[in-house]
């Protein structure tokens, strides 16, 4: 009993900071796009929005287009010509998220819909570091450091562009990390030249950056030596976020009293992409190192349970929707069969009655 009360107390203390939920029913009458706002406070690297929607009335074949946009007006999730659906997405940007609905041509003049919006954030951020340098060096311009944006490109297995990131560790105490702390490098993909997905490779620059770092000054590191310093890689898509766990590297740099920590990023395979730098983007999309207290294991279990329940409810809602469509189709078919059988029987009875009358008239006229 005491353990149950302890768990309940912990949930009461931590849940308000971890999970937020809302459900809203509304009527859609206009054919123009109609949007609703939901506030998100993304205080950790592991933030997820969970979204589910559906048409309640009329229970026909009406369809809607639905899109979820972040505060920068970039699409987070989108569905076209749907009656009901759900999805989850990892986000980094705090602010007002737009949930927009648009009726298709030929839809009913009045539709009743609902949406359910949940936000899950586990852990708490204790430190955020923005980069001193977020730039691109290129094989085609070996003496130039382009700091307008961060680009990566690989052609025929050879790197032609790589991103350079450097963070200042001055004033950061080694005591900021402990056994419940994780340190992550966060990146957000701005664009991909070909396709929808790209693998971003992270490598640790072994030395301090020079004031005029270029492709030429990096020498053999730029032409292939970075392979010996690759730390991690992760796949992502346009507008999505990627996180690298750099806890061990970060702690080592702090213990060695290194003034900076620098990375290079590369595109794996034959691909080209751009990552948000420190210009022309929201601060939430800047490359950043975050130090987070991951919190109690219980909270991660609760968050996982919450997401699993949300997914289960979405699956059940989708199955109910498909069952309703199948039932409507079956009832419509049965109704057609019933009326066709009735009409057929009436016609057969009419033909039989006509035959009787005709034969009777023939017999009477012959007599």
């Amino acid at each position: 009993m005491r353990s149950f009360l302890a768990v309940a107390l912990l949930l009461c203390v931590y849940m308000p900071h971890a999970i937020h939920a809302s459900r809203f029913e509304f009527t859609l009458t206009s054919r123009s796009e109609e949007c609703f706002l939901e506030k998100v406070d993304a205080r950790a690297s592991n933030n997820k929005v969970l979204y589910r929607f559906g048409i309640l009335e009329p229970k026909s074949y009406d369809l809607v287009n639905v899109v979820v946009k972040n505060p920068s007006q970039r699409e987070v999730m989108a569905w076209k010509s749907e009656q009901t659906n759900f999805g989850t997405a990892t986000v980094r940007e705090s602010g007002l998220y737009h949930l927009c609905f648009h009726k298709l041509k030929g839809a009913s003049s009045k539709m009743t819909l609902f949406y359910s919006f949940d936000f899950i954030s586990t852990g708490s951020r204790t430190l955020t570091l923005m980069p001193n340098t977020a730039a691109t060096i290129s094989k085609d311009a070996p003496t130039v450091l382009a700091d307008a944006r961060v680009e990566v490109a690989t052609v025929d297995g050879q790197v032609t562009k790589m991103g350079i990131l450097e963070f200042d560790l001055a004033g950061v105490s080694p005591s900021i990390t402990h056994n419940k702390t994780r340190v992550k490098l966060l990146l957000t993909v701005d664009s991909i030249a070909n396709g929808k997905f790209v693998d971003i490779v992270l490598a640790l620059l072994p030395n301090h950056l020079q004031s005029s770092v270029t492709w030429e000054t990096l020498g053999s590191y730029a032409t292939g030596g970075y392979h010996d310093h690759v730390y991690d890689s992760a796949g992502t898509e346009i507008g999505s976020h990627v996180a690298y766990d750099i806890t061990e590297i970060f702690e080592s740099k702090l213990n060695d009293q290194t003034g900076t920590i620098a990375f290079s990023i590369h595109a794996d395979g034959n691909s080209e992409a751009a990552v948000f730098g420190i210009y022309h983007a929201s601060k939430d999309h800047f490359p950043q190192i975050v130090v987070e207290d991951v919190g109690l294991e219980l909270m991660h279990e609760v968050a996982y349970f919450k997401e699993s329940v949300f997914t289960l409810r979405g699956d059940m809602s989708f199955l109910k929707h498909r069952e309703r469509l199948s039932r409507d189709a079956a009832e419509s078919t049965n109704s057609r069969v019933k009326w066709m059988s009735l009409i057929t029987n009436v016609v057969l009875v009419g033909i039989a009655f006509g035959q009787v009358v005709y034969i009777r008239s023939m017999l009477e006229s012959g007599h």
Side-chain angles (χ1 to χ4, degrees):
M1 183 65 180
R2 290 182 178 178
S3 61
F4 174 78
L5 292 176
V7 170
L9 179 60
L10 289 172
L11 290 178
C12 292
V13 171
Y14 287 99
M15 283 293 284
H17 304 285
I19 300 176
H20 313 265
S22 63
R23 179 185 169 90
F24 184 60
E25 293 185 11
F26 61 96
T27 300
L28 191 63
T29 56
S30 173
R31 296 198 179 277
S32 59
E33 186 176 65
E34 189 166 340
C35 297
F36 302 87
L37 302 179
E38 291 284 349
K39 186 177 181 180
V40 168
D41 185 10
R43 292 173 294 181
S45 62
N46 187 22
N47 307 293
K48 283 189 176 181
V49 292
L50 302 88
Y51 184 65
R52 183 164 59 93
F53 69 92
I55 299 176
L56 298 176
E57 294 290 343
K59 296 180 179 179
S60 60
Y61 294 94
D62 285 333
L63 302 172
V64 291
N65 293 335
V66 182
V67 61
V68 180
K69 301 177 183 178
N70 63 19
S72 299
Q73 295 300 300
R74 297 175 68 94
E75 288 189 3
V76 177
M77 293 180 283
W79 298 269
K80 291 186 179 296
S81 303
E82 295 279 2
Q83 281 194 317
T84 182
N85 215 321
F86 69 98
T88 64
T90 301
V91 298
R92 280 177 53 190
E93 191 170 355
S94 298
L96 294 176
Y97 279 67
H98 293 66
L99 319 176
C100 300
F101 298 81
H102 185 261
K103 290 197 299 185
L104 301 184
K105 292 182 179 179
S108 302
S109 59
K110 183 178 180 181
M111 297 169 57
T112 302
L113 301 94
F114 83 93
Y115 74 78
S116 176
F117 185 87
D118 287 3
F119 171 63
I120 300 177
S121 179
T122 55
S124 59
R125 186 176 301 191
T126 57
L127 177 67
T128 301
L129 297 177
M130 298 297 180
N132 299 331
T133 301
T136 303
I137 59 173
S138 171
K139 184 178 181 180
D140 295 333
T143 60
V144 177
L145 177 68
D147 58 1
R149 61 188 309 184
V150 180
E151 297 180 339
V152 293
T154 300
V155 179
D156 296 330
Q158 299 296 319
V159 172
T160 58
K161 293 180 182 179
M162 70 173 67
I164 301 295
L165 304 173
E166 184 184 38
F167 298 84
D168 189 1
L169 301 182
V172 181
S173 171
S175 62
I176 197 172
T177 62
H178 52 83
N179 60 345
K180 288 290 186 180
T181 300
R182 305 309 298 172
V183 184
K184 296 181 180 180
L185 172 65
L186 307 180
L187 304 175
T188 303
V189 176
D190 182 18
S191 62
I192 300 175
N194 298 310
K196 296 182 179 180
F197 299 91
V198 64
D199 287 331
I200 304 294
V201 177
L202 178 71
L204 177 67
L205 279 164
N207 302 315
H208 293 286
L209 291 182
Q210 301 179 17
S211 58
S212 58
V213 58
T214 62
W215 186 278
E216 189 175 79
T217 58
L218 286 183
S220 61
Y221 181 91
T223 57
Y226 74 90
H227 286 291
D228 298 330
H229 302 277
V230 169
Y231 183 74
D232 198 1
S233 66
T236 185
E237 58 184 339
I238 297 176
S240 293
H241 316 292
V242 59
Y244 303 93
D245 192 326
I246 59 169
T247 305
E248 294 181 0
I249 294 177
F250 189 81
E251 290 177 341
S252 175
K253 293 290 184 179
L254 291 181
N255 292 330
D256 294 342
Q257 297 183 345
T258 304
T260 62
I261 182 171
F263 301 94
S264 63
I265 57 174
H266 315 263
D268 190 21
N270 295 324
S271 55
E272 182 176 355
V275 174
F276 280 113
I278 55 177
Y279 299 102
H280 313 297
S282 165
K283 285 187 177 181
D284 291 322
H285 290 155
F286 285 4
Q288 53 190 262
I289 290 177
V290 296
V291 181
E292 294 180 343
D293 185 350
V294 297
L296 300 174
E297 186 66 27
L298 172 64
M299 298 316 303
H300 292 272
E301 295 294 333
V302 170
Y304 176 77
F305 176 75
K306 177 72 174 181
E307 185 176 358
S308 299
V309 170
F310 181 88
T311 302
L312 178 61
R313 292 183 65 182
D315 289 335
M316 291 177 63
S317 177
F318 181 76
L319 291 175
K320 288 174 63 178
H321 168 69
R322 300 305 302 178
E323 187 272 337
R324 188 185 73 185
L325 292 181
S326 299
R327 185 178 66 250
D328 291 345
E331 290 177 353
S332 176
T333 302
N334 290 337
S335 177
R336 291 191 182 99
V337 171
K338 179 187 70 175
W339 286 107
M340 183 60 68
S341 299
L342 181 60
I343 293 172
T344 301
N345 289 333
V346 169
V347 171
L348 291 176
V349 170
I351 292 174
F353 180 76
Q355 288 176 337
V356 170
V357 172
Y358 178 72
I359 293 174
R360 183 176 179 180
S361 63
M362 286 181 59
L363 293 175
E364 289 178 351
S365 62
H367 179 74

